[in-house]
């Protein structure tokens, strides 16, 4: 049987108890008494050291590329009651790709309340916007003149969507050459490698054939299709935007696949054209009303390229 503690042990135990009581009392004073401001500075010694500032004073945001855009976007959304068109979960899905691939070349169909955000999230990259509504284009450009945006025209109408889907295969210019049996390119918009010509391809009613030259001359790493309007009969719909993004993704020559994000997939036309041209087998994610596709170029598909008998030539 162990002997009872001696006097020294009792003194040590009492000292520990007093120390604990003092610590608890000090914690309560920090929160409940006017002495808090005087007691906090000694505790600040436990904080990590301040980071070193390497840039000279007065350098501004220019010392860190992209920070100015992020700051402006943060102020805009923190002080505005207008929120972006996409939910936080949907934005996070795209942000994951931007974090991994930035800086990248991003083509956004549509100007909106979130345009500053996409511009800011791609620092040192290239972000271009395509907008079809002249009045809305002028309004957004007036608020954000630093955005690189173009006013474009569409040939399609939403009420033509079913007819376009049913008849596009009758237009060789709308199909990969391997799906039509065509041996060469020329004026039909396709060539022997299965690629599709978009620029000047007026023969395909789904091709955005008259966009600004820089759109065709840039190999885009990511597409965000959140326009044009697609909720009333006379609206352009997103049929041509989806076909054009798919055609450009197929033609990629650089490393990696092309990330395509399509919003409003709760609507029938968006889903129908996405399944036909962006392909279910290339869909890698989605949340809410947003789908994410990762489309490999034709050059890396090998024997998986569509043939004349395939139900969906793009897939």
């Amino acid at each position: 049987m162990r002997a009872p503690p001696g006097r020294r042990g009792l003194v040590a135990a009492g000292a520990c108890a007093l120390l604990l009581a003092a610590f608890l009392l000090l914690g309560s004073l920090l929160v409940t008494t006017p002495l808090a401001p005087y007691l906090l500075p000694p505790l600040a010694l436990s904080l990590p050291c301040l980071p070193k500032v390497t840039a000279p004073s007065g350098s501004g945001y220019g010392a860190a590329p992209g920070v100015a855009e992020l700051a402006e976007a943060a102020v805009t959304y923190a002080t505005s009651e207008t929120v972006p068109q996409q939910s936080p979960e949907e934005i996070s899905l795209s942000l994951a790709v931007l974090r991994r691939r930035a800086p990248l070349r991003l083509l956004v169909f549509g100007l909106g309340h979130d345009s500053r955000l996409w511009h800011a999230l791609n620092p040192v990259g290239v972000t271009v916007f395509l907008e079809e509504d002249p009045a809305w284009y002028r309004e957004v450009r007036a608020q954000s003149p630093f955005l690189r945006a173009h006013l474009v025209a569409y040939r399609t109408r939403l009420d033509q969507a079913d007819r376009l889907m049913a008849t596009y295969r009758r237009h060789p210019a709308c199909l990969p050459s391997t799906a039509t049996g065509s041996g060469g390119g020329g004026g039909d918009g396709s060539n022997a490698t299965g690629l599709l010509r978009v620029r000047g391809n007026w023969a395909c009613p789904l091709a955005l054939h008259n966009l600004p030259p820089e759109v065709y001359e840039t190999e885009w790493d990511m597409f965000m299709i959140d326009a044009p309007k697609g909720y009333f009969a006379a609206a352009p719909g997103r049929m041509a935007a989806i076909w054009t993004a798919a055609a450009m993704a197929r033609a990629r020559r650089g490393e990696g696949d092309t990330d395509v994000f399509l919003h409003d997939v709760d609507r029938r036309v968006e889903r129908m054209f996405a399944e036909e041209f962006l392909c279910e087998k290339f869909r890698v994610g989605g949340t809410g009303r947003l789908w994410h596709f990762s489309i490999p170029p034709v050059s890396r598909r090998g024997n998986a390229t569509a043939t004349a008998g395939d139900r969906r030539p793009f897939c």
Side-chain angles (χ1 to χ4, degrees), residues 168-169 276 307-313:
Y168 85 90
R169 299 177 195 222
E276 184 74 17
T307 61
D310 285 338
R311 189 169 63 92
R312 288 178 173 152

Side-chain angles (χ1 to χ4, degrees), residues 178-198:
T178 49
T180 64
S182 170
D188 69 352
S190 62
N191 58 43
T193 64
L195 303 182
L196 285 155
R197 181 165 57 88
V198 180

Side-chain angles (χ1 to χ4, degrees), residues 148-163:
R148 192 173 187 90
H150 300 284
L151 187 63
V152 299
Y154 289 82
R155 297 183 286 170
T156 55
R157 286 172 51 111
L158 183 64
D159 55 10
Q160 300 170 344
D162 289 326
R163 180 173 61 82

